[in-house]
Every structure is written in C-alpha cells, then in structure tokens.
Amino acid sequence: MATITLIPGDGIGPEITEAVVKILDAAGADLQYDEQQAGLTALREEGDLIPESLLDSIKTHKVALKGPLTTPVGEGFRSINVTLRQKFDLYQNVRPCRTIDGIKTRFDQVDFVLFRENTEGLYSGFEIFDERNQIADGIARVSRKGSERIIRAAFEYARKHGRKTVTLVHKANIIKQASGLFLTVGRELALEYPDIEFQDRIVDNMCMQMVMYPDRYDVIVATNLFGDILSDLGAGLVGGLGVVPGANIGDGIAIFEAVHGSAPDIAGQGIANPTALLQSAIMMLRHLNQMETADKVETALFKTLADQSKTTGDLGGNNSTQQFADNVIANL
C-alpha cells in the first residue's frame, strides 16, 4: 500500500480530484491518501500558500498528485508550482503528448514525450529591476550539472521505452553561452547512447516543425522556458491542456499534476473535464510500479473518450464531471 500526498488545489481542482480518486479506488489502486491544501485554498484556511504540513507530507510520502493552483499574472505571489519544483529539486518536467481516439485534432500520429528542465533557465528567479532607468533584467541560468541530468533523463527514458530519437531544442546560434552549454552537453552525452539517434533543433524552427511534422518526433528535451512553450504547443496538437498529463520528477520525490489552470469561471458547476489529472494519475501509478492498475485505468479512459456521448462538454458530450468518472468506471 502506497500513501501519496493528495493536493486538490484551487478552482475546479477539488471536483476533478474527487472524480479521479473515485476512478482509482474503483480500479483497485493500492493507495492511501494524505490530503493537503496549497494555494488560495490553503491561504484562506491556514493563512499560508504552502503550509509546512504540505511540505512535510511530500517529504514523507515522496509522491504527490496535485490539482491546478492559481497564480496571478504579473503581480502577487510567485508561482507555487515553480516553488515546489525548486524546493524539492524536481528537475524533470515530463509531458507526454499522444493522439487519443475520439478527440478531434489535426493530426492522428502524434506520440512524443517532452522533457523540460524544471529548476534553472529564466525561471530561476534571478531578476533585477533598475527603478531609475526602468529596466528589468532576467538571468537565464544554465549549468552543466542541470543540463547533464535532464538530458540524461531523456536518453534513459528513450532507451527504457524503446524510443528511437532524442531531439535537443536550443537557441545556441544567438544565446551562445547559456544555450550553447546545453547543446554542448547534449552532444557529449549522445556519445554514451549510440543506440539512440540524436538531433538538435533551433527553437523557432522546432515550433514550425512541430506544427507541420509532429509525427517525426519521439523524445524532446529543452531548457525551462523553451520546454514550457513547446509542451503547451504539443498539448495543442493532441487536444489541449485538458487531456494531457504532467509530472515533476526529482531523484527522490515526484509530483504528478494537471497542467491546465484552475478555471475559476466554471468552478463548482460540476462540468470540468478530469482527463488531464487522471492521465497524470496513470503516470503516477506507473511510477509506483502499479502497472496492471495503470493499464486498466488507461484502457477504460481511452474507451470512454472514444465515445463522444460519454465525455464532458469540452469534448462534445454533455456529461458532468462525476458522470464522466462513472462512465470510465463502467469501462474498467
């Protein structure tokens, strides 16, 4: 029996978390839940965005499943997601993007996994503001250690899962030191994996390539900002943020999360789609080596999504969040 930290989150978070837990329990997942709050809910209930009880729970259980959290744009507190990633050194942001039957997209052969460096780059928090001249500087910190471990994680994933190619994304033609170091490390590590084809792409070209030929890509690895942009682009190729999973993984702790927003405009209406969080929970089950249960839930989810009459409104159906959960359970 594995105990995980369960973080329902803000907005639609509690609704989709309830649906996902219901499905996991019905599937016989060998899990216990230590429910903790974060974000606006925690601020309201406990006076702290990231309570010590939450941090202690994650340290103890090593695995968390997290609903969406709210971060103000351009003001207010720093992203809680970024803070948790840096607090626990969760340097791998892993985002699979795969075409799903029943979800209408422009492509039908997309199947790649994007590895985004999660603790450095322009999200390191090294910012300077010159009040007198009204100039803001952001420092994109890239280290050899940080580059090495995320690129190696991508190669190891490719080898373990029978993937044939790793594509490194950079802007070394312009950002010659920071992006150049990332590319240099990638080329060095590629020599250790002769069984995996290695290629690199400049980020702007990669954006074009992904929307024209997404089926050509297998495992993609990028620094923080580029990976953030490309992972959302990848989600758009397969149906949007509402259907793709996400994981933040370190050497000892992993947090699996819905990558979409908290959607406060529809919170409490019971119409939110729990697919992204459920997909993340499937990733979590595999991380916990509960392979049979993960496969069972995934098969039931995909069978449900293939029938539009069984889906939520955003996918063309008219089912509520809990009805959708019941439909997945019926397909277990």
Side-chain angles (χ1 to χ4, degrees):
M1 177 76 70
T3 300
I4 68 161
T5 302
L6 184 68
I7 311 166
D10 301 321
I12 60 171
E15 301 162 61
I16 61 175
T17 300
E18 180 185 354
V20 167
V21 169
K22 184 178 181 180
I23 293 167
L24 295 177
D25 289 348
D30 196 17
L31 296 172
Q32 288 184 328
Y33 309 101
D34 179 11
E35 185 170 327
Q36 299 288 334
Q37 298 299 336
L40 295 180
T41 303
L43 183 64
R44 184 174 63 251
E45 294 180 1
E46 303 184 41
D48 195 346
L49 292 165
I50 308 177
E52 281 299 319
S53 58
L54 166 66
L55 300 178
D56 290 342
S57 177
I58 295 172
K59 288 176 190 174
T60 299
H61 304 307
K62 310 299 184 187
V63 174
L65 181 64
K66 182 176 73 63
L69 297 171
T70 302
T71 297
V73 176
E75 61 182 2
F77 52 84
R78 193 164 178 236
S79 167
I80 299 165
N81 294 328
V82 171
T83 301
L84 288 174
R85 292 165 189 170
Q86 294 186 340
K87 176 78 174 176
F88 295 109
D89 199 21
L90 306 178
Y91 61 91
Q92 302 175 45
N93 185 273
V94 185
R95 295 274 290 271
C97 297
R98 176 167 55 150
T99 304
I100 302 172
D101 287 344
I103 297 179
K104 187 177 179 181
T105 60
R106 296 179 183 275
F107 302 96
D108 57 10
Q109 298 294 325
V110 178
D111 184 9
F112 61 78
V113 181
L114 197 143
F115 280 73
R116 162 191 166 198
E117 201 291 317
N118 221 11
T119 61
E120 297 188 335
L122 277 167
Y123 293 5
S124 300
F126 297 114
E127 293 188 295
I128 303 167
F129 184 65
D130 182 337
E131 182 72 37
R132 184 172 65 86
N133 293 308
Q134 291 290 292
I135 298 173
D137 290 312
I139 299 172
R141 170 162 290 182
V142 176
S143 70
R144 173 169 283 274
K145 176 186 175 182
S147 301
E148 227 168 63
R149 62 184 186 174
I150 188 64
I151 297 168
R152 189 177 294 281
F155 273 109
E156 289 292 331
Y157 181 94
R159 179 174 280 175
K160 181 179 179 180
H161 294 88
R163 300 276 181 161
K164 301 183 185 307
T165 305
V166 170
T167 303
L168 182 146
V169 181
H170 63 91
K171 191 65 177 176
N173 58 324
I174 303 297
I175 310 173
K176 295 186 182 294
Q177 294 298 321
S179 212
L181 176 59
F182 193 71
L183 176 59
T184 296
V185 172
R187 286 173 172 167
E188 292 171 359
L189 284 178
L191 300 176
E192 299 181 26
Y193 298 87
D195 51 318
I196 308 295
E197 180 186 350
F198 175 74
Q199 58 188 11
D200 68 271
R201 296 284 185 273
I202 295 172
V203 63
D204 39 332
N205 176 53
M206 185 63 180
C207 290
M208 182 185 72
Q209 294 286 329
M210 283 176 65
V211 298
M212 294 181 70
Y213 315 110
D215 55 312
R216 294 182 180 178
Y217 295 95
D218 206 356
V219 175
I220 301 167
V221 62
T223 48
N224 207 329
L225 177 62
F226 295 160
D228 193 9
I229 294 166
L230 292 176
S231 58
D232 277 20
L233 190 159
L237 297 173
V238 298
L241 293 176
V243 298
V244 295
N248 302 287
I249 301 172
D251 290 333
I253 291 174
I255 299 177
F256 299 84
E257 65 181 357
V259 296
H260 55 69
S262 57
D265 54 323
I266 61 168
Q269 298 179 34
I271 60 173
N273 181 1
T275 296
L277 188 61
L278 183 56
Q279 289 253 62
S280 301
I282 293 167
M283 288 182 74
M284 179 189 72
L285 289 173
R286 293 192 170 119
H287 178 80
L288 293 168
N289 208 32
Q290 297 189 26
M291 302 298 184
E292 185 177 341
T293 306
D295 291 344
K296 183 162 66 171
V297 174
E298 184 177 72
T299 299
L301 171 63
F302 287 177
K303 186 175 180 181
T304 305
L305 292 172
D307 182 353
Q308 192 176 85
S309 70
K310 303 293 186 183
T311 65
T312 48
D314 56 311
L315 298 179
N318 59 4
N319 292 268
S320 69
T321 306
Q322 296 306 317
Q323 286 171 335
F324 178 81
D326 290 338
N327 294 337
V328 174
I329 291 168
N331 283 325
L332 286 169

